[in-house]
Amino acid sequence: MVKGITRQVILVKSPDPRLFEEAIFIVKEEALAREGVSADKVLREARQAADGYIRQGKVWNRRLERLPAPVWGAVGAVLASAGWVLWLFLL
């Protein structure tokens, strides 16, 4: 079903195309009607939000990539053992 509603949308191209192509921001109707809010300011804020999201994801990826494979194996073994213990003795 298609409704007769129009919205202003900002598309921000990704600086890192491995993650996603672009971010889509739907602008509030009253955002551009406020005093002191220009189209450039709205676009700048959308870019900052997209960049912050990418930086946040990269930080976690770097932290997780630092762990060596044996640590990941140990974590998997502990989680699998905990699952078996829960299933055998608590259910």
Side-chain angles (χ1 to χ4, degrees):
M1 174 187 285
V2 177
K3 293 184 178 182
I5 297 174
T6 59
R7 299 213 179 219
Q8 291 186 350
V9 175
I10 296 176
L11 297 174
V12 178
K13 296 292 183 185
S14 172
D16 187 1
R18 292 178 297 145
L19 298 175
F20 55 89
E21 292 180 28
E22 58 192 9
I24 301 172
F25 293 91
I26 300 173
V27 181
K28 289 185 177 181
E29 292 179 21
E30 67 271 2
L32 294 175
R34 294 182 192 158
E35 286 186 31
V37 177
S38 65
D40 290 334
K41 186 175 181 179
V42 171
L43 184 59
R44 194 175 330 114
E45 190 170 331
R47 284 186 179 146
Q48 286 176 350
D51 290 343
Y53 178 78
I54 289 174
R55 275 191 226 110
Q56 180 183 10
K58 284 183 178 180
V59 169
W60 278 107
N61 284 343
R62 278 190 228 126
R63 288 180 184 165
L64 294 176
E65 288 173 355
R66 286 186 207 157
L67 295 175
V71 171
W72 286 112
V75 168
V78 167
L79 290 175
S81 298
W84 276 102
V85 167
L86 287 173
W87 184 73
L88 290 174
F89 297 112
L90 298 178
L91 296 177

